[in-house]
Amino acid sequence: IKKGVLSPHAPKIPFFFGYWSDFKLVSNLVTNAGKALAAGLLTGDITNFFDYIAVGTGVVAADATDTALGTETAASGLSRAASTNSRVTTDVTNDTSQFAKTFTVTGTVAVTESGVFDAAAAGGMLCRQVFSAINVVNGDSLTITWKVDID
């Protein structure tokens, strides 16, 4: 598994075209547990697919031994939620798994981390990354897109 990208979008300020956006491109970290779960999916030993994206406010750097976000957010419309999953092309046709979710924000939060999980609560974490704050407020949308390229 090759590191992919996390690209959150946070429309912020109404402007001529309706909004400005804050776009970040960050290399992700596939966790040790995520690698083991992915291997289990390939052999059929594991049947829980990675279908959920979570965000949080933790600031401790992502580490391969992580099994959860530092401080997962469960309020302001940012609770862990089902992602839309697909395969996209990076190097060869359909070699990259893509996970995406658009959250509708109902409060004020400085989002600083995200991860991909195989369950709506707890479960296994495929990947995690920490990034500089994306400040969102009531009425904003926050789109998180993870890409995991199979190398």
Side-chain angles (χ1 to χ4, degrees), residues 27 49 110:
S27 292
F49 297 103

Side-chain angles (χ1 to χ4, degrees), residues 11-20:
K12 308 270 277 198
I13 304 168
F15 191 64
F16 184 72
F17 296 108
Y19 62 86
W20 286 357

Side-chain angles (χ1 to χ4, degrees), residues 9-91:
H9 302 267
K12 308 270 277 198
I13 304 168
F15 191 64
F16 184 72
F17 296 108
Y19 62 86
W20 286 357
S21 74
D22 181 3
F23 176 81
K24 296 179 189 259
L25 180 62
V26 182
S27 292
N28 71 39
L29 174 97
V30 176
T31 65
N32 294 343
K35 290 176 182 177
L37 290 165
L41 284 170
L42 292 173
T43 62
D45 294 333
I46 303 288
T47 58
N48 291 345
F49 297 103
F50 298 105
D51 288 338
Y52 297 90
I53 292 179
V55 297
T57 58
V59 295
V60 174
D63 187 84
T65 61
D66 290 342
T67 58
L69 294 183
T71 308
E72 187 170 336
T73 301
S76 299
L78 296 170
S79 296
R80 186 184 303 192
S83 57
T84 300
N85 301 340
S86 60
R87 290 185 299 160
V88 297
T89 300
T90 300
D91 302 307

